[in-house]
Each structure stands twice: as C-alpha cells, then as structure tokens.
Amino acid sequence: MIRVEQLSKHFGSIKAVDGISFEVGDREKLILLGTSGCGKTTTLKMINRLIEPTSGNVFIDGKNIFDQSPEILRRGIGYVLQNNGLFPHYTVGENIAIVPQLLKWDGKRIEKRVAELMEKLHLSKDQLKAYPNELSGGEQQRVGLARALVADPPVLLMDEPFGALDNVTRSKIHAEFKALDELKRKTIIMVTHDVQEAFELGDRICLMDKGKIVQIGTPADLLFKPVNHFVQSFLKEQRLQLEFKAVRIKDIWGLLPHAKKTGDTGLNADITVWSGLENFKSQQADHLNITHENETRSVGFEQLITAFYKYQNGRAHE
Ligand SMILES: Nc1ncnc2c1ncn2[C@@H]1O[C@H](COP(=O)(O)OP(=O)(O)OP(=O)(O)O)[C@@H](O)[C@H]1O
Ligand SMILES: [Mg+2]
C-alpha cells in the first residue's frame, strides 16, 4: 500500500532522515519508534508532503506521490497531529467537519457523518458545540482522530496520538483503538516513543535512530532477533512485559497441557499472553477456556506462565 524508497531530508548539515526505505501492507499498522529527534515526524510529513524530501520516492497504491498535487494526495490520507492540532476557535463539530466542507459535501451528509463518528468515539452530542479547551485531553485526542477519519481515507498517519495522556486513559484508548472497525480497515503509520504502545498497537515496528532505520520487523522479531546492541538496549528495561505482549497464546499452544476439552468455546488464542494474564485477573478465575482451531482447552495461570517460559527458552536457543 505504501512504499518508501531511499527517502532523505536534510536541513542544512542536519540529516533529519537519511535514506530510509520500508513498505507498509494494506491494512497494516506500522509503528515508527525512536527517541526524540530521530526523524519520526519528518518521515511522516514527507508521506503527506507537508515536508518535501531532499531525495527519494514514496508510492501509495502504486502511484508516485510526487506526480500528484499535495491537495489531492492529502484527500486519501488522514493525519493526526502531535498534540491533536485542533483549531481552538472552531467548535468540536466544526473541527471534525473541516475536510467535508473543503470537499463541498452537502450539510445533511456532513451532519450525519459527524454524528456517527462522535458516537463511535464515545463523545457526547452535547460536546458538538463545545470548544477544544472545554474538553479533557483524551476527548481532544478523540476529536483529532474523528477529524482524520471523517472522509474515510484509506491511509492514516498518526503522530504521537496518545502522547499527552496519562497511563490509565492511554490504555483505555488503546483498547478502543484496537476495537474500532473504521481503524481495522485502514493502513496506518503511527509515531510513538513509547515502547509499550508500539508493542500493543503495531503489526510491525520500525525502530529509528539518527535518521536511519535500525530494525524493522514484528514485535517478536525485535525482541528475539535484535540486529544489534542498540535494539537490545532500547527494549531492555521493559523486556519481560514486552515479551508477554509480543507472544500470542497460539504461538505457545503446543506447549500448553492437553487439559480436558470443555464444551464451550473460550477466548481466541490470537490474544497475547499479556492479555491472557489480564483475563485471569479481570475474571478472577484460576482457569481460562481458550480456543484454537476448534479445540478448547482449560488453561491454568501457572500452566500459561510455564508454557511461555519454555517458548522463551526455545527462542533464546534458536
Ligand atoms: N524545520 C527544521 N529545520 C531544521 N531542523 C529540523 C527541522 N525540523 C526538524 N529538524 C531536525 O531534524 C531532526 C528530526 O526531527 P523530527 O521532528 O523528525 O524528530 P522526531 O523523531 O519527530 O522527534 P520527537 O520525538 O521529539 O517529536 C531533529 O534533529 C530536528 O531538530
Ligand atoms: Mg515528532
């Protein structure tokens, strides 16, 4: 869906982005991860031509973006700015309706689509006429997201969309983010410097440093097959929690005991080990029913942890 080739941006002697190449598949969620100043925002802004590159090419859906006018290009790309970027003197409704107004949708259609998104993003109707400074940080982020989604673009670029939130609000929004049907259909490039967020939301992660890509791969690739010491140390502090998030229960299915099958279906084995562990807590259960390919097993907390450690040991010796 998106192909970036040897893309560079130099500001004088600063190589903000230095010859990066990557691809993002249709409906894939790619996370640009890295410390402050490594070139994440610059990369994102070159993809919607808010910044013109020094050299390199970008193709979206096979078309070179430099063969189109930036205005036409941006119609197919939703953009969520760092710190939401809402217009303070526009109401919530007006902020969300900016793109449809530009596209000259009729009033009824705009009203309907805005109402639909407000509902999907759990904003109340009363907030339609509110100004951004009358909303909480989390609500403002949702409005920013609604604004980016309103014309249903196939591609979404998100720059630290959850950056301003506390951890509790953040994990609540992460859960909503993953559940939202409109987002499942989109090809997304999202910037963050939060490793946990990258592991929770990304299909693949592109770890950057000093304008270059250090490693691009699935969360499990980065954890279990780091290309160098930089990758290893970047993930070191939170390693265990990240591993729980990078491994899915289906990955360790063969290591789980063949406990008696139960009649009911249970949780889908597609969930991560981390989310399995959370389910023990939220259901206050000592066993969970988990289903994989038409087989349901009753799995205990210890059994899940043991299988996970066996798997981890195996990966370490690959
Ligand atoms: N307009 C500009 N003029 C000069 N230098 C710039 C400009 N924009 C960015 N830079 C430099 O390019 C580098 C990359 O900036 P960029 O904003 O892409 O980083 P980032 O990874 O998004 O960082 P952060 O996590 O802090 O948002 C930085 O060193 C920055 O100072
Ligand atoms: Mg940035």
Side-chain angles (χ1 to χ4, degrees):
M1 184 70 180
I2 303 175
R3 195 165 87 238
V4 169
E5 283 181 0
Q6 287 299 321
L7 200 61
S8 293
K9 180 69 190 181
H10 300 172
F11 295 105
S13 63
I14 302 171
K15 293 180 174 172
V17 174
D18 193 12
I20 64 170
S21 302
F22 61 85
E23 288 183 18
V24 193
D26 188 28
R27 296 174 190 219
E28 192 181 17
K29 316 305 178 235
L30 179 78
I31 310 286
L32 300 183
L33 175 67
T35 48
S36 185
C38 72
K40 305 180 296 294
T41 297
T42 307
T43 301
L44 216 55
K45 285 187 171 171
M46 286 194 279
I47 296 171
N48 65 6
R49 295 190 63 186
L50 286 173
I51 292 180
E52 294 293 339
T54 307
S55 60
N57 270 310
V58 179
F59 299 86
I60 296 183
D61 225 358
K63 284 193 249 46
N64 190 326
I65 65 167
F66 302 107
D67 293 342
Q68 305 162 44
S69 79
E71 292 70 29
I72 300 287
L73 171 74
R74 283 184 212 130
R75 283 190 195 163
I77 305 178
Y79 183 43
V80 182
L81 288 87
Q82 207 160 352
N83 302 317
N84 76 55
L86 298 175
F87 291 122
H89 54 290
Y90 278 21
T91 64
V92 165
E94 288 164 350
N95 263 290
I96 300 176
I98 289 172
V99 173
Q101 296 282 7
L102 281 173
L103 297 177
K104 301 202 170 21
W105 289 12
D106 74 67
K108 275 258 161 355
R109 181 173 172 207
I110 296 181
E111 208 176 293
K112 191 161 160 248
R113 177 64 175 150
V114 171
E116 178 188 37
L117 278 171
M118 295 280 288
E119 195 188 323
K120 280 188 180 171
L121 293 169
H122 308 293
L123 293 157
S124 86
K125 281 199 191 89
D126 309 333
Q127 290 171 321
L128 208 56
K129 297 220 152 41
Y131 288 89
N133 68 2
E134 297 169 313
L135 304 182
S136 75
E139 288 161 351
Q140 290 178 26
Q141 310 252 234
R142 283 167 226 234
V143 176
L145 186 54
R147 185 175 63 179
L149 287 172
V150 68
D152 202 19
V155 174
L156 206 56
L157 306 176
M158 309 175 83
D159 199 347
E160 307 233 12
F162 313 118
L165 305 180
D166 61 83
N167 281 337
V168 176
T169 315
R170 199 188 267 224
S171 46
K172 203 166 144 243
I173 290 201
H174 283 173
E176 289 174 14
F177 179 91
K178 282 189 279 192
L180 207 66
D181 57 341
E182 299 228 3
L183 289 173
K184 287 183 191 158
R185 290 189 269 118
K186 307 233 174 274
T187 303
I188 298 180
I189 302 182
M190 189 178 117
V191 164
T192 183
H193 56 251
D194 179 344
V195 184
Q196 297 287 344
E197 183 162 277
F199 272 65
E200 267 178 42
L201 303 181
D203 295 321
R204 282 188 307 144
I205 296 173
C206 174
L207 179 60
M208 295 179 64
D209 183 40
K210 300 193 188 93
K212 288 188 154 68
I213 295 176
V214 186
Q215 185 168 3
I216 182 163
T218 62
D221 288 340
L222 268 69
L223 269 172
F224 299 114
K225 295 177 200 153
V227 294
N228 60 21
H229 188 70
F230 177 86
V231 180
Q232 230 164 4
S233 62
F234 201 89
L235 306 177
K236 196 161 91 193
E237 266 174 42
Q238 314 173 53
R239 179 149 191 115
L240 184 60
Q241 203 183 345
L242 293 175
E243 289 190 2
F244 283 139
K245 287 181 181 174
V247 178
R248 293 179 189 279
I249 293 183
K250 65 177 182 193
D251 300 331
I252 61 173
W253 191 250
L255 301 165
L256 288 166
H258 291 257
K260 200 172 55 141
K261 283 180 202 170
T262 62
D264 326 318
T265 57
L267 292 164
N268 188 324
D270 246 359
I271 61 169
T272 61
V273 173
W274 176 258
S275 123
L277 295 175
E278 281 187 321
N279 264 281
F280 279 105
K281 206 167 67 183
S282 63
Q283 299 187 18
Q284 305 221 328
D286 54 8
H287 279 73
L288 290 177
N289 285 340
I290 304 176
T291 307
H292 181 52
E293 292 172 349
N294 299 321
E295 183 195 2
T296 301
R297 292 181 188 174
S298 166
V299 179
F301 187 87
E302 291 289 327
Q303 293 171 330
L304 183 60
I305 297 271
T306 306
F308 170 79
Y309 281 121
K310 274 191 204 156
Y311 174 87
Q312 195 188 30
N313 249 321
R315 295 296 300 246
H317 291 105
E318 257 175 28

